[in-house]
Amino acid sequence: MKLSRYFADHSPAYDAEINDLLSDSEGKNVLEKRLREKRGQIDFLVMMMDDSPEMLAVVFHQGFRFTSPRAMDELAGMEPDRFPSWKKLSAAATLVPWAQTLAERVLQEEGGERFMAIAAVLEYLHSRVDASGAAEAQDDEDEDQRDEDADGEDGDEGDEGESLPRNLEEAGADWLAEQGFERKE
């Protein structure tokens, strides 16, 4: 996929904005709390949609469901002045209910339709990076595990080998819970 100049410039800024919201000074994950705060400031943030779109776009983080990755790839290669209407685009990028309410506010503004398309593409690009980064991390983890298995001469996994998958599973469950998913019991 080839990014337009617009998205080549703005996608890293969007990623940085998400990363800034991710954790506090103690390293705790506070993304959801900070996103709620940002969403409460939407009336102020809409003033930034042209000059700093990433500042407003983050309120839609995790609010899109992408039904047509091909269409989103095409949009990422376009400059925003060539985008179709939001109504046409909404078939490729649907909003979850809470995000629909925010979108209604943004769409009241001049340029709101264009901005919603920009926000969708920024979130799409961010989610692609997260997915590819997660896949790379899993590949590295699998390789580390294979190396550890190959290094173990006596074949005895001991308590440490038994607790590692459980800790990873717990960490994964904690992360999913932070993202709003229910825990599996």
Side-chain angles (χ1 to χ4, degrees), residues 1-16 18 57 60-62 64-66 68-80 83 92-93 116-134:
M1 165 183 32
K2 184 177 183 210
L3 296 181
S4 69
R5 175 174 282 158
Y6 184 88
F7 288 110
D9 290 345
H10 286 85
S11 184
Y14 181 78
D15 293 342
I18 296 291
F60 292 98
H61 180 57
Q62 299 176 337
F64 290 99
R65 297 298 174 256
F66 302 106
S68 177
R70 183 176 178 188
M72 297 308 297
D73 286 346
E74 288 178 24
L75 285 172
M78 293 180 177
E79 292 298 321
F83 281 173
M116 287 306 300
I118 290 169
V121 174
L122 289 172
E123 179 65 13
Y124 173 73
L125 294 172
H126 180 78
S127 67
R128 283 180 49 109
V129 169
D130 278 355
S132 65

Side-chain angles (χ1 to χ4, degrees), residues 14 20 25 30 48-49 54 61 70 97 103 106 110 118 124-125 141 149 154 156 164 170 182:
Y14 181 78
D20 284 347
S25 60
V30 292
M48 298 180 179
M49 85 168 78
E54 66 279 356
H61 180 57
R70 183 176 178 188
V106 170
E110 183 178 330
I118 290 169
Y124 173 73
L125 294 172
E141 217 171 88
D149 291 346
D154 60 3
D156 182 18
L164 182 61
E170 287 176 4
E182 293 183 2

